[in-house]
């Protein structure tokens, strides 16, 4: 086997993350805006029809937009110190994008079903899946750091803390499935907490990440 | 706390603006073109049906396209000297993108309601929101310059002038809400003036910006 | 007026073309693929229904895709030696993107009207508009070369040749409008010639461009 | 003829692949996510309606997403050592993008027809076309390496191995067309094998590619 089969973080054979980033940006840009096509003109003129017919779609859109936006920001942080990508990272990223792309539909469903138990459980399941995609991508990156000998202690500490945070919100999302059958709104509160953890990207991570 | 918690404009921890730009480009590209899906083939052949059925959609599309295009150009200018981005910038940018994504619908609404008072007020409100998103992003950038000690006088003067311009057009948009109930077309004129300020990106800004 | 009001091609104030490119790529990517949403499943199973119901949409899609693809390639060539962009370039580019975004609809219209005189005239008008957008962008770039003292003879010769080619196809497109009322298929032939000129980007341009 | 008509891989005249990549990313991002618009809210509440009405769309979406994702990853690998692009590469890439954009429709069709012989043959034909686009792009790249004197043995070996792999899956796809009329599910198995070859990008390629 020739010596260049040994990949390092700077091996010319390995792909740079630029296309992974631009492709993910494109996919998330479509996901985050595609719901504007759902806006329908109200059937009657005037404020009442506008509020009763447009407001629910607007609420769904705002929710999905916020959720997807938070994921985009954390995806941004997750990838930004990566110099090279490998196949497992590319596939884990595709898995995350797939899960995220189902969010607008799940949000739409939970609102159209007026937060009944089953719809909240479906929504919690979708958040669980997205969390799983994120943790899988994080794990693929940690594995890559080990394989390319670029696993310095600072990076590893950040990766570990982020994975722990990811598993914690997945636990909250999983817990929300049975909770939805006991009391949907307590389940929704659990989902909200699991998501709020991610609003400040550096929260629960080592100090050097707090600054960004 | 380790020394690298002190961020500067070049701290390796901080994110570069490249993904903020490419994501915004993607979102605005979807917003600006998604309305072409609204074009329907006229029900009858010949020029009359073409003009009466296609022209209104075309007018709405042209208006939204122009407005979104102006925002894109000013967004371009706002970001182009930024070396690093932080979480408040990312969130303010998401807010701006959210507001912009509602423009096609608001334009569609005001035209379908034939510029009645309520619809013009809604449209003015939407322009006000987009202006707010732009001013919020500008403020987040100014704050970033201060926090990273990169707030040189030229930058600050530009930022201040741009914020002043933003607040001026927001005042015009806010004024248009009551005006719409007095006389919708005077309100529309106010909205047009608030927007025309932004056609030449360097207008009302310090000299070095006039050149671009 | 301070000395930095004098822009050069490398003035830090001026915007780099990277976002112009990525935004245009995003808009053209949406334009070129959005028509796949028009594909409807045939109402009956089997080859006959598939061919009669799917084939026309496929033909429209292939035509629009090809046309937009040719524009994208020439846009690519037009911009690639530009180091900085200014406001007229940004607006001319928006004009071109606007015109291009109407192509799928115009193609759809001419096919649904079975190439009658009016529809061919509309299609010729749309191609004329797109050509105008391209020539306007080319002119804005030439003006930029002069203003930034980067108008070396090779560049100018290329710009001039490209503008001449643009005006020639616009003349063919304009001629097709009256021709459509005489004989639609001769008009279509004129449109085809006007477009074929652009398939090889370097055709009719000075030698150094032939190589790419 | 001036000396600069002789292109090399680094000739300033030649286009860099950055826009080819960002345009392809944009088009593939739209293709891969556009199917989420097909998701309809179930007509009745509860798990039964959810599963019977949403699950089939989800299955189609997952299939198309996976297939397009695999193509994106291999496209990524195919382009990543290219320094310059020429017109044949740009057109071959457009051909590939066109073929890929028909995948969601073909997937939808084969599922709505419940895998009957004709629909499986259509699907196999679509996979064959996409494979053809990929092999054409690969051939355009090999030709470019020869023309720019950048055809070093390692690159050529990779290109040749990739082309061989492409032709092998095209053969499997072509074989699936008659097989579909004998037994559709054996044809589907052939299609699956032809696709599985591409899941690990470096599979069947020289060793240095195995590492990424």
């Amino acid at each position: 086997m020739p010596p260049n089969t040994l990949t390092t973080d700077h091996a010319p054979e390995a792909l740079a993350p630029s296309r992974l980033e631009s492709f993910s940006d494109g996919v998330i840009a479509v996901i985050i805006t595609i719901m504007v096509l759902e806006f329908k003109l109200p059937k009657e003129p005037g404020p009442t029809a506008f509020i009763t017919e447009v407001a629910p779609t607007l609420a769904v859109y705002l929710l999905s937009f916020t959720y997807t936006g938070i994921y985009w920001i954390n995806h941004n942080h997750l990838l930004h110190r990566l110099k090279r990508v490998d196949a497992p990272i590319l596939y884990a990223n595709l898995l995350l994008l797939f899960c995220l792309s189902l969010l607008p539909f799940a949000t739409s469903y939970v609102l159209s079903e007026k937060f009944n138990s089953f719809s909240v459980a479906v929504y919690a399941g979708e958040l669980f899946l997205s969390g799983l995609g994120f943790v899988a991508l994080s794990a693929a990156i940690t594995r890559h750091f080990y394989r390319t000998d670029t696993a310095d202690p600072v990076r590893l500490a950040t990766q570990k803390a982020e994975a722990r945070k990811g598993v914690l919100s997945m636990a909250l999302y999983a817990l929300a499935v049975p909770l939805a059958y006991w009391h949907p709104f307590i389940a929704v509160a659990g989902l909200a907490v699991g998501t709020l953890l991610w609003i400040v990207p550096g929260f629960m991570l080592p100090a050097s990440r707090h600054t960004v």
Side-chain angles (χ1 to χ4, degrees), chain A residues 25-63:
Chain A
D25 285 344
V27 171
I28 300 175
V30 176
I31 294 171
I32 213 170
T33 44
I34 216 160
M35 269 192 69
V36 296
L37 285 175
E38 300 280 314
F39 282 82
K40 301 276 173 263
L41 289 172
K43 274 165 230 124
E44 283 167 54
T48 321
F50 186 83
I51 288 160
T52 54
E53 294 180 38
V54 176
T57 315
L58 190 65
V60 178
Y61 181 49
L62 180 58
L63 247 168

Short mmCIF file of all heavy atoms in Angstrom, two decimals, chain A residues 25-63:
data_model
loop_
_atom_site.label_atom_id
_atom_site.label_comp_id
_atom_site.label_asym_id
_atom_site.label_seq_id
_atom_site.Cartn_x
_atom_site.Cartn_y
_atom_site.Cartn_z
N ASP A 25 -25.97 24.79 3.74
CA ASP A 25 -26.59 26.12 3.72
C ASP A 25 -27.73 26.17 2.71
O ASP A 25 -28.80 26.71 2.99
CB ASP A 25 -25.56 27.20 3.39
CG ASP A 25 -24.65 27.49 4.58
OD1 ASP A 25 -25.02 27.09 5.70
OD2 ASP A 25 -23.60 28.10 4.39
N GLY A 26 -27.49 25.57 1.54
CA GLY A 26 -28.53 25.56 0.51
C GLY A 26 -29.75 24.78 0.96
O GLY A 26 -30.88 25.25 0.84
N VAL A 27 -29.51 23.57 1.49
CA VAL A 27 -30.64 22.73 1.93
C VAL A 27 -31.41 23.43 3.05
O VAL A 27 -32.64 23.53 3.02
CB VAL A 27 -30.14 21.34 2.39
CG1 VAL A 27 -31.26 20.55 3.05
CG2 VAL A 27 -29.60 20.56 1.20
N ILE A 28 -30.69 23.97 4.05
CA ILE A 28 -31.38 24.61 5.18
C ILE A 28 -32.08 25.89 4.70
O ILE A 28 -33.18 26.21 5.17
CB ILE A 28 -30.39 24.88 6.34
CG1 ILE A 28 -29.80 23.55 6.83
CG2 ILE A 28 -31.09 25.58 7.50
CD1 ILE A 28 -28.72 23.68 7.89
N ALA A 29 -31.50 26.59 3.73
CA ALA A 29 -32.16 27.79 3.18
C ALA A 29 -33.49 27.42 2.53
O ALA A 29 -34.49 28.13 2.69
CB ALA A 29 -31.25 28.48 2.17
N VAL A 30 -33.52 26.29 1.79
CA VAL A 30 -34.79 25.86 1.19
C VAL A 30 -35.77 25.45 2.28
O VAL A 30 -36.94 25.86 2.28
CB VAL A 30 -34.56 24.71 0.18
CG1 VAL A 30 -35.89 24.20 -0.36
CG2 VAL A 30 -33.69 25.17 -0.98
N ILE A 31 -35.30 24.64 3.25
CA ILE A 31 -36.18 24.17 4.34
C ILE A 31 -36.82 25.35 5.07
O ILE A 31 -38.01 25.37 5.34
CB ILE A 31 -35.38 23.32 5.37
CG1 ILE A 31 -34.89 22.02 4.75
CG2 ILE A 31 -36.22 23.03 6.60
CD1 ILE A 31 -33.93 21.25 5.64
N ILE A 32 -35.98 26.35 5.39
CA ILE A 32 -36.43 27.45 6.26
C ILE A 32 -37.41 28.39 5.54
O ILE A 32 -38.22 29.05 6.18
CB ILE A 32 -35.19 28.19 6.85
CG1 ILE A 32 -35.48 28.71 8.26
CG2 ILE A 32 -34.72 29.32 5.96
CD1 ILE A 32 -34.25 29.22 8.98
N THR A 33 -37.34 28.45 4.21
CA THR A 33 -38.20 29.41 3.50
C THR A 33 -39.34 28.77 2.74
O THR A 33 -40.27 29.46 2.33
CB THR A 33 -37.39 30.24 2.49
OG1 THR A 33 -36.53 29.38 1.78
CG2 THR A 33 -36.62 31.32 3.17
N ILE A 34 -39.29 27.44 2.56
CA ILE A 34 -40.26 26.80 1.69
C ILE A 34 -41.68 26.93 2.23
O ILE A 34 -42.64 26.92 1.47
CB ILE A 34 -39.84 25.33 1.47
CG1 ILE A 34 -40.17 24.91 0.05
CG2 ILE A 34 -40.46 24.43 2.51
CD1 ILE A 34 -39.41 23.69 -0.40
N MET A 35 -41.80 27.14 3.53
CA MET A 35 -43.13 27.25 4.12
C MET A 35 -43.87 28.52 3.70
O MET A 35 -45.10 28.58 3.87
CB MET A 35 -43.05 27.16 5.62
CG MET A 35 -43.20 25.74 6.12
SD MET A 35 -43.46 25.74 7.88
CE MET A 35 -45.11 26.47 7.98
N VAL A 36 -43.16 29.52 3.20
CA VAL A 36 -43.89 30.73 2.78
C VAL A 36 -44.86 30.41 1.65
O VAL A 36 -45.82 31.16 1.43
CB VAL A 36 -42.96 31.90 2.35
CG1 VAL A 36 -42.11 32.38 3.51
CG2 VAL A 36 -42.11 31.52 1.18
N LEU A 37 -44.61 29.30 0.95
CA LEU A 37 -45.55 28.89 -0.10
C LEU A 37 -46.91 28.47 0.47
O LEU A 37 -47.90 28.40 -0.25
CB LEU A 37 -44.98 27.73 -0.91
CG LEU A 37 -43.89 28.09 -1.91
CD1 LEU A 37 -43.32 26.84 -2.54
CD2 LEU A 37 -44.44 29.01 -2.99
N GLU A 38 -46.95 28.18 1.78
CA GLU A 38 -48.19 27.75 2.42
C GLU A 38 -49.13 28.93 2.71
O GLU A 38 -50.31 28.73 3.00
CB GLU A 38 -47.88 27.04 3.76
CG GLU A 38 -47.03 25.81 3.62
CD GLU A 38 -47.84 24.61 3.17
OE1 GLU A 38 -48.91 24.39 3.72
OE2 GLU A 38 -47.37 23.93 2.23
N PHE A 39 -48.59 30.14 2.69
CA PHE A 39 -49.42 31.31 3.00
C PHE A 39 -50.47 31.48 1.91
O PHE A 39 -50.13 31.60 0.74
CB PHE A 39 -48.57 32.57 3.10
CG PHE A 39 -47.84 32.69 4.40
CD1 PHE A 39 -46.65 32.03 4.59
CD2 PHE A 39 -48.36 33.46 5.43
CE1 PHE A 39 -45.96 32.13 5.80
CE2 PHE A 39 -47.68 33.56 6.64
CZ PHE A 39 -46.49 32.90 6.83
N LYS A 40 -51.74 31.49 2.32
CA LYS A 40 -52.82 31.70 1.36
C LYS A 40 -53.45 33.06 1.64
O LYS A 40 -53.57 33.46 2.80
CB LYS A 40 -53.89 30.61 1.50
CG LYS A 40 -53.39 29.20 1.28
CD LYS A 40 -53.35 28.82 -0.20
CE LYS A 40 -52.66 27.46 -0.40
NZ LYS A 40 -51.25 27.57 -0.77
N LEU A 41 -53.86 33.74 0.58
CA LEU A 41 -54.58 35.01 0.77
C LEU A 41 -55.90 34.71 1.48
O LEU A 41 -56.58 33.74 1.14
CB LEU A 41 -54.86 35.65 -0.59
CG LEU A 41 -53.62 36.21 -1.31
CD1 LEU A 41 -53.99 36.63 -2.72
CD2 LEU A 41 -53.04 37.39 -0.55
N PRO A 42 -56.30 35.54 2.48
CA PRO A 42 -57.59 35.30 3.15
C PRO A 42 -58.73 35.44 2.15
O PRO A 42 -58.65 36.20 1.19
CB PRO A 42 -57.64 36.39 4.22
CG PRO A 42 -56.60 37.38 3.89
CD PRO A 42 -55.58 36.68 3.04
N LYS A 43 -59.82 34.67 2.40
CA LYS A 43 -60.93 34.67 1.45
C LYS A 43 -61.74 35.96 1.47
O LYS A 43 -62.36 36.32 0.48
CB LYS A 43 -61.83 33.44 1.70
CG LYS A 43 -61.33 32.20 0.96
CD LYS A 43 -61.98 30.93 1.50
CE LYS A 43 -60.94 29.87 1.82
NZ LYS A 43 -61.00 29.38 3.20
N GLU A 44 -61.73 36.63 2.63
CA GLU A 44 -62.46 37.90 2.71
C GLU A 44 -61.52 39.04 3.06
O GLU A 44 -60.47 38.81 3.64
CB GLU A 44 -63.54 37.80 3.80
CG GLU A 44 -64.76 37.00 3.34
CD GLU A 44 -65.65 36.67 4.52
OE1 GLU A 44 -66.03 37.59 5.25
OE2 GLU A 44 -65.95 35.47 4.71
N PRO A 45 -61.90 40.29 2.73
CA PRO A 45 -61.04 41.42 3.09
C PRO A 45 -61.17 41.75 4.58
O PRO A 45 -62.05 41.22 5.25
CB PRO A 45 -61.60 42.56 2.22
CG PRO A 45 -63.03 42.21 1.99
CD PRO A 45 -63.11 40.71 1.99
N GLY A 46 -60.31 42.63 5.06
CA GLY A 46 -60.45 43.16 6.41
C GLY A 46 -59.64 42.42 7.46
O GLY A 46 -59.18 41.30 7.23
N PRO A 47 -59.48 43.05 8.62
CA PRO A 47 -58.61 42.53 9.68
C PRO A 47 -59.04 41.18 10.24
O PRO A 47 -58.18 40.35 10.52
CB PRO A 47 -58.68 43.60 10.78
CG PRO A 47 -59.43 44.76 10.22
CD PRO A 47 -60.08 44.36 8.94
N THR A 48 -60.35 40.94 10.38
CA THR A 48 -60.78 39.69 11.03
C THR A 48 -60.33 38.47 10.22
O THR A 48 -59.69 37.56 10.77
CB THR A 48 -62.32 39.66 11.18
OG1 THR A 48 -62.75 40.97 11.54
CG2 THR A 48 -62.73 38.67 12.25
N ALA A 49 -60.64 38.49 8.92
CA ALA A 49 -60.24 37.36 8.07
C ALA A 49 -58.72 37.24 8.04
O ALA A 49 -58.17 36.13 8.07
CB ALA A 49 -60.79 37.56 6.66
N PHE A 50 -58.03 38.36 8.00
CA PHE A 50 -56.57 38.33 7.94
C PHE A 50 -56.02 37.62 9.17
O PHE A 50 -55.18 36.73 9.06
CB PHE A 50 -56.02 39.77 7.87
CG PHE A 50 -54.54 39.82 7.68
CD1 PHE A 50 -53.99 39.70 6.41
CD2 PHE A 50 -53.69 39.98 8.76
CE1 PHE A 50 -52.62 39.74 6.22
CE2 PHE A 50 -52.32 40.01 8.58
CZ PHE A 50 -51.79 39.90 7.31
N ILE A 51 -56.54 38.02 10.35
CA ILE A 51 -56.00 37.45 11.59
C ILE A 51 -56.38 35.98 11.73
O ILE A 51 -55.52 35.14 12.03
CB ILE A 51 -56.45 38.29 12.81
CG1 ILE A 51 -55.67 39.62 12.79
CG2 ILE A 51 -56.15 37.56 14.11
CD1 ILE A 51 -56.31 40.72 13.59
N THR A 52 -57.64 35.64 11.50
CA THR A 52 -58.03 34.24 11.70
C THR A 52 -57.43 33.30 10.66
O THR A 52 -57.14 32.15 10.95
CB THR A 52 -59.57 34.07 11.71
OG1 THR A 52 -60.08 34.66 10.50
CG2 THR A 52 -60.20 34.76 12.90
N GLU A 53 -57.22 33.79 9.42
CA GLU A 53 -56.73 32.87 8.39
C GLU A 53 -55.21 32.88 8.22
O GLU A 53 -54.63 31.86 7.86
CB GLU A 53 -57.41 33.19 7.04
CG GLU A 53 -58.92 32.91 7.08
CD GLU A 53 -59.61 33.22 5.77
OE1 GLU A 53 -59.02 32.97 4.71
OE2 GLU A 53 -60.74 33.75 5.81
N VAL A 54 -54.58 34.04 8.46
CA VAL A 54 -53.14 34.12 8.23
C VAL A 54 -52.34 33.81 9.50
O VAL A 54 -51.30 33.16 9.44
CB VAL A 54 -52.75 35.50 7.65
CG1 VAL A 54 -51.25 35.61 7.49
CG2 VAL A 54 -53.45 35.72 6.31
N ALA A 55 -52.86 34.25 10.66
CA ALA A 55 -52.10 34.12 11.90
C ALA A 55 -51.64 32.68 12.20
O ALA A 55 -50.47 32.49 12.56
CB ALA A 55 -52.88 34.70 13.07
N PRO A 56 -52.51 31.64 12.05
CA PRO A 56 -52.01 30.29 12.37
C PRO A 56 -50.83 29.87 11.50
O PRO A 56 -49.84 29.34 12.01
CB PRO A 56 -53.23 29.39 12.10
CG PRO A 56 -54.42 30.31 12.16
CD PRO A 56 -53.93 31.64 11.69
N THR A 57 -50.91 30.13 10.19
CA THR A 57 -49.79 29.78 9.31
C THR A 57 -48.53 30.54 9.74
O THR A 57 -47.42 29.99 9.74
CB THR A 57 -50.12 30.15 7.85
OG1 THR A 57 -51.44 29.73 7.55
CG2 THR A 57 -49.15 29.49 6.89
N LEU A 58 -48.73 31.81 10.11
CA LEU A 58 -47.59 32.62 10.54
C LEU A 58 -46.94 32.03 11.79
O LEU A 58 -45.71 31.97 11.89
CB LEU A 58 -48.08 34.06 10.81
CG LEU A 58 -46.99 35.10 11.04
CD1 LEU A 58 -46.17 35.30 9.77
CD2 LEU A 58 -47.58 36.43 11.47
N ALA A 59 -47.80 31.57 12.73
CA ALA A 59 -47.27 30.98 13.96
C ALA A 59 -46.44 29.73 13.65
O ALA A 59 -45.34 29.55 14.18
CB ALA A 59 -48.42 30.64 14.91
N VAL A 60 -46.99 28.85 12.78
CA VAL A 60 -46.27 27.64 12.39
C VAL A 60 -44.93 28.00 11.75
O VAL A 60 -43.88 27.42 12.06
CB VAL A 60 -47.09 26.81 11.37
CG1 VAL A 60 -46.31 25.58 10.93
CG2 VAL A 60 -48.42 26.40 11.96
N TYR A 61 -45.00 28.98 10.85
CA TYR A 61 -43.80 29.38 10.12
C TYR A 61 -42.74 29.92 11.07
O TYR A 61 -41.56 29.55 10.99
CB TYR A 61 -44.20 30.43 9.08
CG TYR A 61 -43.07 30.93 8.23
CD1 TYR A 61 -42.20 30.05 7.60
CD2 TYR A 61 -42.86 32.29 8.04
CE1 TYR A 61 -41.17 30.50 6.82
CE2 TYR A 61 -41.83 32.76 7.26
CZ TYR A 61 -40.98 31.87 6.66
OH TYR A 61 -39.95 32.33 5.89
N LEU A 62 -43.17 30.77 12.00
CA LEU A 62 -42.24 31.37 12.97
C LEU A 62 -41.55 30.28 13.79
O LEU A 62 -40.33 30.30 13.99
CB LEU A 62 -42.99 32.35 13.87
CG LEU A 62 -42.16 33.06 14.94
CD1 LEU A 62 -41.00 33.83 14.34
CD2 LEU A 62 -43.03 34.02 15.74
N LEU A 63 -42.36 29.31 14.26
CA LEU A 63 -41.81 28.21 15.06
C LEU A 63 -40.77 27.40 14.29
O LEU A 63 -39.65 27.18 14.78
CB LEU A 63 -42.95 27.27 15.43
CG LEU A 63 -43.31 27.21 16.91
CD1 LEU A 63 -44.61 26.47 17.10
CD2 LEU A 63 -42.19 26.54 17.70
#
